[in-house]
Amino acid sequence: MDLFFIFFIFFLGLLVGSFLNCLVWRLYKEEGMWNRSYCPACRQPIAWHDNIPILSFILLGGKCRHCHGKISWQYPIVELVAGVLFVLSFYLNFKTFASALLPNFQFFPDLASEAGRAIFNLAYRQAGFQLLFTFNFLLLILKDWFIIAVMIVIFIYDLRWYLILDKVTLPACLAVFIFNLALGVNWLSLVITGAIGASFFLIQFLVSRGRWIGGGDIRLGLLMGLALGQASHLILAILLAYFAGSVIGLGLIAFKKKKWKSEIPLGVFLSSATIFTLFFGDRIVNWYLGLF
């Protein structure tokens, strides 16, 4: 494996990001995914060469080829974010995976040196002799990529339309549950963590009679519990989301962009915190427990 492989993962993430942009729009318009992509302004079909992630946006100057209407910056940003998150997911998981195979293994040692390449190749040769371990690694990567994709959809949709769709969260719950079962996670632990996530938001919904949060947050709480798989990680994600939401919310109020009674799209912060915890939850929880 070399930088070409990393570029391949990054490009895969760009393609997934492009698909997610299309998916979000089709969900909003309640349209099927089988039709060709089209310009929202003039509804002209978009040719394949105008649909290349990031590159087409740059070459077209951020405008539709037909009507010259502006293309939202959402499209290249989402593509880029998906690409970076896919690479980061692989980076962190492979580092953990390789460290279990080789003591003191450092992800991406100096590949320009012969010793660095030898260490890197040795990790892969050893992984090749552990088929089950390799399978679990690939399954873990696919699970994380799936969670990232779902959270990006939730982020965009809630940011733009203040809504978390059940048609996104509920199928994702089932898929993540199956992923975790295949990875050997105890089903009862998953159910308990998912129930904790859903109950946390359900209680708020019942106490406030739906004024504080929406029903979609309850299903997102269930998804977060199933995705993170541990109560400690779920609590961390919720704390991070509420802290970030409070800071940004107060900032918007201070700059008179929002009022005290204005709605804040909580799903934006919950989805972001879920991805962050997916990546760094183990490190943060272990660091915290180490303080005691």
Side-chain angles (χ1 to χ4, degrees):
M1 178 178 137
D2 53 22
L3 293 178
F4 175 79
F5 187 72
I6 292 300
F7 177 78
F8 172 78
I9 295 175
F10 178 69
F11 186 69
L12 176 63
L14 294 182
L15 292 177
V16 171
S18 179
F19 170 79
L20 296 179
N21 276 319
C22 178
L23 176 62
V24 167
W25 181 252
R26 299 296 175 91
L27 286 172
Y28 177 67
K29 289 295 185 179
E30 298 184 344
E31 298 175 348
M33 290 298 297
W34 301 110
N35 300 325
R36 286 181 57 184
S37 298
Y38 61 87
C39 171
C42 65
R43 302 191 68 85
Q44 284 292 322
I46 299 176
W48 69 268
H49 52 80
D50 288 339
N51 214 16
I52 302 173
I54 296 182
L55 182 61
S56 292
F57 181 85
I58 296 173
L59 294 177
L60 291 171
K63 296 181 180 180
C64 171
R65 182 182 295 276
H66 303 284
C67 67
H68 303 293
K70 288 186 178 181
I71 301 173
S72 172
W73 276 93
Q74 169 194 314
Y75 292 92
I77 290 174
V78 169
E79 292 162 357
L80 181 61
V81 167
V84 170
L85 291 179
F86 269 43
V87 171
L88 184 58
S89 173
F90 183 88
Y91 169 90
L92 295 172
N93 280 303
F94 185 81
K95 183 177 180 180
T96 301
F97 175 78
S99 296
L101 295 177
L102 290 175
N104 302 319
F105 179 85
Q106 297 296 322
F107 180 74
F108 279 143
D110 183 9
L111 296 181
S113 69
E114 184 176 350
R117 290 193 296 271
I119 294 174
F120 194 91
N121 291 332
L122 179 58
Y124 261 87
R125 284 198 297 271
Q126 290 192 2
F129 291 114
Q130 301 182 38
L131 180 61
L132 181 60
F133 198 11
T134 304
F135 173 75
N136 283 345
F137 170 70
L138 295 175
L139 192 61
L140 178 61
I141 289 295
L142 291 176
K143 185 201 79 169
D144 283 3
W145 285 352
F146 176 78
I147 293 172
I148 290 169
V150 171
M151 292 302 163
I152 288 176
V153 171
I154 292 172
F155 181 102
I156 300 170
Y157 209 97
D158 199 35
L159 180 65
R160 295 193 61 178
W161 298 294
Y162 287 55
L163 189 63
I164 300 173
L165 299 177
D166 287 349
K167 63 177 67 175
V168 173
T169 53
L170 294 181
C173 285
L174 177 60
V176 171
F177 185 76
I178 294 173
F179 265 121
N180 279 321
L181 289 181
L183 286 165
V185 182
N186 182 272
W187 69 269
L188 183 58
S189 174
L190 286 173
V191 170
I192 292 174
T193 309
I196 292 173
S199 299
F200 176 80
F201 295 103
L202 176 60
I203 292 172
Q204 294 181 70
F205 182 85
L206 294 176
V207 170
S208 68
R209 297 182 180 180
R211 293 191 299 272
W212 296 348
I213 63 171
D217 296 304
I218 302 171
R219 269 75 77 182
L220 178 53
L222 172 63
L223 176 58
M224 290 173 64
L226 295 174
L228 297 174
Q230 300 180 51
S232 58
H233 289 61
L234 173 63
I235 293 171
L236 172 63
I238 292 174
L239 289 175
L240 290 173
Y242 273 72
F243 175 76
S246 299
V247 171
I248 294 177
L250 289 174
L252 291 174
I253 292 172
F255 286 99
K256 298 183 179 180
K257 298 295 183 181
K258 293 281 186 180
K259 298 181 180 179
W260 283 104
K261 293 184 178 181
S262 297
E263 287 186 60
I264 296 293
L266 184 59
V268 168
F269 303 101
L270 292 173
S271 56
S272 302
T274 299
I275 294 176
F276 182 86
T277 306
L278 190 69
F279 289 162
F280 306 110
D282 284 335
R283 295 166 177 80
I284 296 175
V285 170
N286 291 337
W287 167 80
Y288 178 77
L289 294 177
L291 297 177
F292 303 94

